[in-house]
């Protein structure tokens, strides 16, 4: 039986939470391997709606869940999210949740810096969630991060604090802000340490032992490939690698452990925040997609930009992330359209492109080349088998497969957990 890595194949918000939750029933462990609490996953289970941003989606099913070393962890948000889920009846304990002891921490001044930079950027705003994700990753790469394991050794933290304050106090001064209050920071860390440390373990070791026993692992990514720091629409990207290859580095397991790569893509396209979006619809159709798809960010509440399916971008995501199969979500949102459109290429001046160009100026100028297909009047909402889908919806899925050069493994037809059509079992490969 294969392990499975789940990643977003667009700009995030593709419905990864539901798919991970659905697959988690058959997994022995769920491992979150990158990002932070800037990732929003909404799970609908009967009458209950669970909104996660840091915790792995498997936690709702009680599947043992791991926050890997590739994640940046806000310990105060962790406490709040656990409290909220506990209030909804989800049991969370150190037996069901493991946090890698090498996770870097997101600290209060990271959030401050994130917001200060964004406010000062004018037309150059990236559209961050202002939650400190980027500054925390910068400190990790700069070798000045405070990590989860440091919470057990706060009396020995002075050298790290020296490095941190030397860097951040200069940045804060440039924004007219006072230096970091070291004593206050230490007090806040002491206060939260007792909550976090029971969950802290050498995650790489526990995962290696699980792998040796043949346990099935589900690796959960955040955001989407088009937000990858290397392969996304730079600079309008997140601060980590979101491709499937990160599952190995961000969990502490080798690349051979990853197995089947399941890319999640909506049957149309959405994006939150700034950045290029070739198929964006700023008209009644785009509004209709947004209303029918309830397109508001789980984390930010911001209205998502909407457009038709971009096969060029998803094909690019499939290539750079080694996607084995696609889970096509929100097919039901397209119900009732007289026609549906797919972007099959781009026009840039007098050039025809079969890929998205790297430079932001070219990205802003490309025009989509459209293929139009008949829509369907019948409903796909709630379908749980291929036979329940309208013939034209099946034709649409087949054309998507051809254009992205990747088979569809799952189809999601509503936010409900069980409204899922299994075409190819990722765990069986």
């Amino acid at each position: 039986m294969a392990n499975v890595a789940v990643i977003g194949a667009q700009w995030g918000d593709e419905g990864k939470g539901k798919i991970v939750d659905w697959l988690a029933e058959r997994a022995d462990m769920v491992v979150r391997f990158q990002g932070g609490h800037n990732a929003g996953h909404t799970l609908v289970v009967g009458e209950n709606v669970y909104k996660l941003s840091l915790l792995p989606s498997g936690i709702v099913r009680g599947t043992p869940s791991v926050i890997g070393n590739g994640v940046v962890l806000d310990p105060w948000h962790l406490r709040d999210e656990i409290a909220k889920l506990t209030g909804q009846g989800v049991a969370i304990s150190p037996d069901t949740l493991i946090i890698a002891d090498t996770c870097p921490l997101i600290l209060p001044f990271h959030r401050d810096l994130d917001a200060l930079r964004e406010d000062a950027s004018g037309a150059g705003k990236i559209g961050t969630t202002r939650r400190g994700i980027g500054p925390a990753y910068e400190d990790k790469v700069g070798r000045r991060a405070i990590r989860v394991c440091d919470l057990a050794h706060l009396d020995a933290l002075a050298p790290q604090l020296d490095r941190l304050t030397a860097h951040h106090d200069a940045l804060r001064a440039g924004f007219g802000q006072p230096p970091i209050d070291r004593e206050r920071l230490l007090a806040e860390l002491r206060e939260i340490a007792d909550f976090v440390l029971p969950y802290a373990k050498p995650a790489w070791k526990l995962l290696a032992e699980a792998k040796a026993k043949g346990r099935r692992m589900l690796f959960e990514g955040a955001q989407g490939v088009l937000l990858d720091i290397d392969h996304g629409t730079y600079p309008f990207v997140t601060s980590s690698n979101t491709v499937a290859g990160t599952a190995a580095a961000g969990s502490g397991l080798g690349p051979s452990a990853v197995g089947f790569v399941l890319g999640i893509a909506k049957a149309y396209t959405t994006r939150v925040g700034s950045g290029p979006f070739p198929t964006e619809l700023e008209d009644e159709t785009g509004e209709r997609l947004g209303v029918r798809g309830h397109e508001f960010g789980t984390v930010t509440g911001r209205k998502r930009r909407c457009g038709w399916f971009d096969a060029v971008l998803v094909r690019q995501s499939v290539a750079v992330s080694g996607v084995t199969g696609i889970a096509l979500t929100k097919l039901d949102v397209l119900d009732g359209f007289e026609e549906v459109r797919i972007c099959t290429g781009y026009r840039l001046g007098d050039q025809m492109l079969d890929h998205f160009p790297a430079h932001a100026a070219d990205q802003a100028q490309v025009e989509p080349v459209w293929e139009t297909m008949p829509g369907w009047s019948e409903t796909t909402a709630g379908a749980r088998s291929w036979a329940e889908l309208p013939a034209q919806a099946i034709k649409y899925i087949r054309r998507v497969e051809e254009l992205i050069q990747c088979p569809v493994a799952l189809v999601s037809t509503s936010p409900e957990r069980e409204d899922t059509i299994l075409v190819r079992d990722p765990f069986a490969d």
Side-chain angles (χ1 to χ4, degrees), residues 129-158:
T129 58
R130 299 170 178 256
R131 296 196 165 195
I133 311 298
Y137 273 119
E138 290 174 38
D139 281 348
K140 174 183 177 178
V141 174
R143 294 167 293 182
R144 54 183 172 264
I146 295 174
R147 303 186 298 172
V148 168
C149 56
D150 293 316
L151 294 175
H153 301 276
L154 292 175
D155 291 338
L157 205 58

mmCIF file of all heavy atoms in Angstrom, residues 129-158:
data_model
loop_
_atom_site.group_PDB
_atom_site.id
_atom_site.type_symbol
_atom_site.label_atom_id
_atom_site.label_comp_id
_atom_site.label_asym_id
_atom_site.label_seq_id
_atom_site.Cartn_x
_atom_site.Cartn_y
_atom_site.Cartn_z
ATOM 1 N N THR A 129 -1.143 37.059 4.858
ATOM 2 C CA THR A 129 -2.164 36.945 5.902
ATOM 3 C C THR A 129 -1.779 37.722 7.155
ATOM 4 O O THR A 129 -2.542 37.754 8.111
ATOM 5 C CB THR A 129 -2.376 35.471 6.293
ATOM 6 O OG1 THR A 129 -1.131 34.920 6.737
ATOM 7 C CG2 THR A 129 -2.906 34.668 5.114
ATOM 8 N N ARG A 130 -0.584 38.326 7.171
ATOM 9 C CA ARG A 130 -0.086 39.130 8.303
ATOM 10 C C ARG A 130 0.062 38.289 9.576
ATOM 11 O O ARG A 130 -0.038 38.813 10.686
ATOM 12 C CB ARG A 130 -1.022 40.321 8.558
ATOM 13 C CG ARG A 130 -1.127 41.285 7.375
ATOM 14 C CD ARG A 130 -2.226 42.307 7.573
ATOM 15 N NE ARG A 130 -2.268 43.237 6.457
ATOM 16 C CZ ARG A 130 -1.808 44.495 6.498
ATOM 17 N NH1 ARG A 130 -1.271 44.948 7.605
ATOM 18 N NH2 ARG A 130 -1.894 45.260 5.443
ATOM 19 N N ARG A 131 0.313 37.023 9.415
ATOM 20 C CA ARG A 131 0.414 36.140 10.583
ATOM 21 C C ARG A 131 1.855 35.799 10.946
ATOM 22 O O ARG A 131 2.091 34.938 11.793
ATOM 23 C CB ARG A 131 -0.407 34.875 10.343
ATOM 24 C CG ARG A 131 -1.894 35.177 10.220
ATOM 25 C CD ARG A 131 -2.754 33.957 10.365
ATOM 26 N NE ARG A 131 -4.153 34.324 10.594
ATOM 27 C CZ ARG A 131 -5.085 33.501 11.032
ATOM 28 N NH1 ARG A 131 -4.781 32.240 11.285
ATOM 29 N NH2 ARG A 131 -6.319 33.904 11.222
ATOM 30 N N GLY A 132 2.814 36.430 10.283
ATOM 31 C CA GLY A 132 4.211 36.236 10.662
ATOM 32 C C GLY A 132 4.897 35.065 10.009
ATOM 33 O O GLY A 132 6.020 34.715 10.395
ATOM 34 N N ILE A 133 4.268 34.450 9.016
ATOM 35 C CA ILE A 133 4.827 33.246 8.405
ATOM 36 C C ILE A 133 6.169 33.551 7.731
ATOM 37 O O ILE A 133 7.179 32.890 7.985
ATOM 38 C CB ILE A 133 3.854 32.649 7.364
ATOM 39 C CG1 ILE A 133 2.430 32.528 7.937
ATOM 40 C CG2 ILE A 133 4.371 31.299 6.866
ATOM 41 C CD1 ILE A 133 2.261 31.644 9.113
ATOM 42 N N GLY A 134 6.172 34.551 6.843
ATOM 43 C CA GLY A 134 7.389 34.884 6.106
ATOM 44 C C GLY A 134 8.555 35.258 7.014
ATOM 45 O O GLY A 134 9.653 34.699 6.883
ATOM 46 N N PRO A 135 8.372 36.206 7.949
ATOM 47 C CA PRO A 135 9.468 36.551 8.851
ATOM 48 C C PRO A 135 9.989 35.367 9.672
ATOM 49 O O PRO A 135 11.182 35.278 9.962
ATOM 50 C CB PRO A 135 8.845 37.622 9.755
ATOM 51 C CG PRO A 135 7.829 38.284 8.872
ATOM 52 C CD PRO A 135 7.247 37.162 8.059
ATOM 53 N N ALA A 136 9.097 34.430 10.043
ATOM 54 C CA ALA A 136 9.547 33.252 10.794
ATOM 55 C C ALA A 136 10.432 32.370 9.927
ATOM 56 O O ALA A 136 11.467 31.850 10.395
ATOM 57 C CB ALA A 136 8.352 32.463 11.314
ATOM 58 N N TYR A 137 10.045 32.162 8.654
ATOM 59 C CA TYR A 137 10.896 31.390 7.747
ATOM 60 C C TYR A 137 12.229 32.107 7.494
ATOM 61 O O TYR A 137 13.271 31.460 7.356
ATOM 62 C CB TYR A 137 10.179 31.141 6.419
ATOM 63 C CG TYR A 137 9.311 29.903 6.410
ATOM 64 C CD1 TYR A 137 7.939 29.989 6.199
ATOM 65 C CD2 TYR A 137 9.861 28.638 6.589
ATOM 66 C CE1 TYR A 137 7.143 28.853 6.174
ATOM 67 C CE2 TYR A 137 9.070 27.500 6.567
ATOM 68 C CZ TYR A 137 7.709 27.607 6.361
ATOM 69 O OH TYR A 137 6.927 26.472 6.343
ATOM 70 N N GLU A 138 12.211 33.429 7.430
ATOM 71 C CA GLU A 138 13.457 34.178 7.251
ATOM 72 C C GLU A 138 14.409 33.914 8.415
ATOM 73 O O GLU A 138 15.623 33.739 8.220
ATOM 74 C CB GLU A 138 13.163 35.668 7.147
ATOM 75 C CG GLU A 138 12.468 36.090 5.869
ATOM 76 C CD GLU A 138 12.076 37.553 5.900
ATOM 77 O OE1 GLU A 138 12.860 38.366 6.439
ATOM 78 O OE2 GLU A 138 10.988 37.889 5.408
ATOM 79 N N ASP A 139 13.883 33.907 9.626
ATOM 80 C CA ASP A 139 14.732 33.646 10.787
ATOM 81 C C ASP A 139 15.240 32.214 10.796
ATOM 82 O O ASP A 139 16.368 31.942 11.237
ATOM 83 C CB ASP A 139 13.966 33.947 12.080
ATOM 84 C CG ASP A 139 13.922 35.434 12.386
ATOM 85 O OD1 ASP A 139 14.658 36.200 11.729
ATOM 86 O OD2 ASP A 139 13.147 35.831 13.275
ATOM 87 N N LYS A 140 14.423 31.281 10.306
ATOM 88 C CA LYS A 140 14.882 29.890 10.205
ATOM 89 C C LYS A 140 16.083 29.805 9.269
ATOM 90 O O LYS A 140 17.122 29.226 9.614
ATOM 91 C CB LYS A 140 13.744 29.006 9.691
ATOM 92 C CG LYS A 140 14.160 27.563 9.402
ATOM 93 C CD LYS A 140 13.006 26.758 8.817
ATOM 94 C CE LYS A 140 13.441 25.344 8.457
ATOM 95 N NZ LYS A 140 12.332 24.531 7.924
ATOM 96 N N VAL A 141 15.952 30.392 8.082
ATOM 97 C CA VAL A 141 17.054 30.362 7.111
ATOM 98 C C VAL A 141 18.245 31.167 7.614
ATOM 99 O O VAL A 141 19.402 30.821 7.354
ATOM 100 C CB VAL A 141 16.562 30.899 5.741
ATOM 101 C CG1 VAL A 141 17.707 31.007 4.755
ATOM 102 C CG2 VAL A 141 15.482 29.987 5.182
ATOM 103 N N GLY A 142 17.968 32.238 8.362
ATOM 104 C CA GLY A 142 19.048 33.064 8.911
ATOM 105 C C GLY A 142 19.703 32.481 10.146
ATOM 106 O O GLY A 142 20.583 33.124 10.743
ATOM 107 N N ARG A 143 19.254 31.301 10.575
ATOM 108 C CA ARG A 143 19.848 30.565 11.700
ATOM 109 C C ARG A 143 19.744 31.317 13.022
ATOM 110 O O ARG A 143 20.633 31.262 13.862
ATOM 111 C CB ARG A 143 21.308 30.209 11.397
ATOM 112 C CG ARG A 143 21.467 29.231 10.246
ATOM 113 C CD ARG A 143 22.877 29.123 9.748
ATOM 114 N NE ARG A 143 23.297 30.368 9.123
ATOM 115 C CZ ARG A 143 24.488 30.555 8.546
ATOM 116 N NH1 ARG A 143 25.366 29.572 8.518
ATOM 117 N NH2 ARG A 143 24.788 31.717 7.999
ATOM 118 N N ARG A 144 18.634 32.009 13.172
ATOM 119 C CA ARG A 144 18.409 32.709 14.441
ATOM 120 C C ARG A 144 17.037 32.364 15.030
ATOM 121 O O ARG A 144 16.570 33.028 15.947
ATOM 122 C CB ARG A 144 18.543 34.224 14.238
ATOM 123 C CG ARG A 144 17.676 34.772 13.139
ATOM 124 C CD ARG A 144 17.876 36.265 12.896
ATOM 125 N NE ARG A 144 17.123 36.632 11.693
ATOM 126 C CZ ARG A 144 17.660 36.712 10.474
ATOM 127 N NH1 ARG A 144 18.954 36.484 10.299
ATOM 128 N NH2 ARG A 144 16.919 37.025 9.441
ATOM 129 N N ALA A 145 16.371 31.332 14.508
ATOM 130 C CA ALA A 145 15.025 30.975 14.966
ATOM 131 C C ALA A 145 15.063 30.373 16.365
ATOM 132 O O ALA A 145 16.034 29.709 16.761
ATOM 133 C CB ALA A 145 14.390 29.982 13.999
ATOM 134 N N ILE A 146 13.989 30.608 17.105
ATOM 135 C CA ILE A 146 13.727 29.871 18.342
ATOM 136 C C ILE A 146 12.813 28.718 17.962
ATOM 137 O O ILE A 146 11.806 28.906 17.271
ATOM 138 C CB ILE A 146 13.071 30.773 19.401
ATOM 139 C CG1 ILE A 146 14.051 31.876 19.813
ATOM 140 C CG2 ILE A 146 12.639 29.963 20.617
ATOM 141 C CD1 ILE A 146 13.454 32.915 20.748
ATOM 142 N N ARG A 147 13.173 27.506 18.371
ATOM 143 C CA ARG A 147 12.440 26.323 17.968
ATOM 144 C C ARG A 147 11.699 25.716 19.156
ATOM 145 O O ARG A 147 11.917 26.092 20.303
ATOM 146 C CB ARG A 147 13.395 25.293 17.354
ATOM 147 C CG ARG A 147 14.185 25.837 16.164
ATOM 148 C CD ARG A 147 15.006 24.775 15.469
ATOM 149 N NE ARG A 147 16.021 24.194 16.348
ATOM 150 C CZ ARG A 147 16.780 23.138 16.025
ATOM 151 N NH1 ARG A 147 16.620 22.551 14.846
ATOM 152 N NH2 ARG A 147 17.670 22.676 16.864
ATOM 153 N N VAL A 148 10.830 24.773 18.859
ATOM 154 C CA VAL A 148 10.032 24.145 19.908
ATOM 155 C C VAL A 148 10.926 23.563 21.005
ATOM 156 O O VAL A 148 10.654 23.720 22.199
ATOM 157 C CB VAL A 148 9.123 23.042 19.310
ATOM 158 C CG1 VAL A 148 8.509 22.179 20.407
ATOM 159 C CG2 VAL A 148 8.023 23.676 18.452
ATOM 160 N N CYS A 149 12.020 22.912 20.612
ATOM 161 C CA CYS A 149 12.906 22.308 21.618
ATOM 162 C C CYS A 149 13.530 23.346 22.555
ATOM 163 O O CYS A 149 13.896 23.029 23.699
ATOM 164 C CB CYS A 149 14.001 21.481 20.944
ATOM 165 S SG CYS A 149 15.007 22.390 19.752
ATOM 166 N N ASP A 150 13.625 24.593 22.100
ATOM 167 C CA ASP A 150 14.187 25.648 22.944
ATOM 168 C C ASP A 150 13.280 25.986 24.115
ATOM 169 O O ASP A 150 13.746 26.559 25.118
ATOM 170 C CB ASP A 150 14.447 26.913 22.121
ATOM 171 C CG ASP A 150 15.547 26.727 21.103
ATOM 172 O OD1 ASP A 150 16.582 26.131 21.456
ATOM 173 O OD2 ASP A 150 15.379 27.173 19.951
ATOM 174 N N LEU A 151 12.009 25.656 24.013
ATOM 175 C CA LEU A 151 11.077 25.948 25.108
ATOM 176 C C LEU A 151 11.435 25.174 26.371
ATOM 177 O O LEU A 151 11.046 25.567 27.474
ATOM 178 C CB LEU A 151 9.643 25.618 24.687
ATOM 179 C CG LEU A 151 9.059 26.481 23.568
ATOM 180 C CD1 LEU A 151 7.681 25.958 23.162
ATOM 181 C CD2 LEU A 151 8.971 27.944 23.990
ATOM 182 N N ALA A 152 12.163 24.089 26.214
ATOM 183 C CA ALA A 152 12.603 23.304 27.378
ATOM 184 C C ALA A 152 13.926 23.815 27.934
ATOM 185 O O ALA A 152 14.416 23.294 28.945
ATOM 186 C CB ALA A 152 12.729 21.833 27.001
ATOM 187 N N HIS A 153 14.512 24.830 27.283
ATOM 188 C CA HIS A 153 15.830 25.334 27.690
ATOM 189 C C HIS A 153 15.855 26.856 27.634
ATOM 190 O O HIS A 153 16.806 27.455 27.116
ATOM 191 C CB HIS A 153 16.914 24.761 26.772
ATOM 192 C CG HIS A 153 16.976 23.262 26.761
ATOM 193 N ND1 HIS A 153 17.660 22.536 27.708
ATOM 194 C CD2 HIS A 153 16.392 22.363 25.930
ATOM 195 C CE1 HIS A 153 17.520 21.242 27.456
ATOM 196 N NE2 HIS A 153 16.751 21.112 26.388
ATOM 197 N N LEU A 154 14.846 27.481 28.191
ATOM 198 C CA LEU A 154 14.737 28.943 28.084
ATOM 199 C C LEU A 154 15.840 29.672 28.825
ATOM 200 O O LEU A 154 16.207 30.792 28.459
ATOM 201 C CB LEU A 154 13.359 29.398 28.580
ATOM 202 C CG LEU A 154 12.177 28.980 27.690
ATOM 203 C CD1 LEU A 154 10.851 29.371 28.329
ATOM 204 C CD2 LEU A 154 12.300 29.590 26.302
ATOM 205 N N ASP A 155 16.402 29.046 29.855
ATOM 206 C CA ASP A 155 17.491 29.700 30.588
ATOM 207 C C ASP A 155 18.768 29.778 29.759
ATOM 208 O O ASP A 155 19.687 30.530 30.104
ATOM 209 C CB ASP A 155 17.779 28.953 31.901
ATOM 210 C CG ASP A 155 16.641 29.110 32.904
ATOM 211 O OD1 ASP A 155 15.876 30.093 32.778
ATOM 212 O OD2 ASP A 155 16.515 28.250 33.796
ATOM 213 N N ALA A 156 18.836 28.999 28.667
ATOM 214 C CA ALA A 156 20.023 29.008 27.803
ATOM 215 C C ALA A 156 19.770 29.753 26.494
ATOM 216 O O ALA A 156 20.500 29.583 25.524
ATOM 217 C CB ALA A 156 20.453 27.570 27.516
ATOM 218 N N LEU A 157 18.734 30.597 26.472
ATOM 219 C CA LEU A 157 18.293 31.211 25.224
ATOM 220 C C LEU A 157 19.042 32.493 24.854
ATOM 221 O O LEU A 157 18.875 32.997 23.748
ATOM 222 C CB LEU A 157 16.791 31.511 25.316
ATOM 223 C CG LEU A 157 16.001 31.603 24.019
ATOM 224 C CD1 LEU A 157 16.112 30.322 23.219
ATOM 225 C CD2 LEU A 157 14.539 31.928 24.318
ATOM 226 N N ALA A 158 19.883 32.997 25.740
ATOM 227 C CA ALA A 158 20.504 34.309 25.513
ATOM 228 C C ALA A 158 21.227 34.443 24.168
ATOM 229 O O ALA A 158 21.047 35.451 23.474
ATOM 230 C CB ALA A 158 21.453 34.637 26.663
#
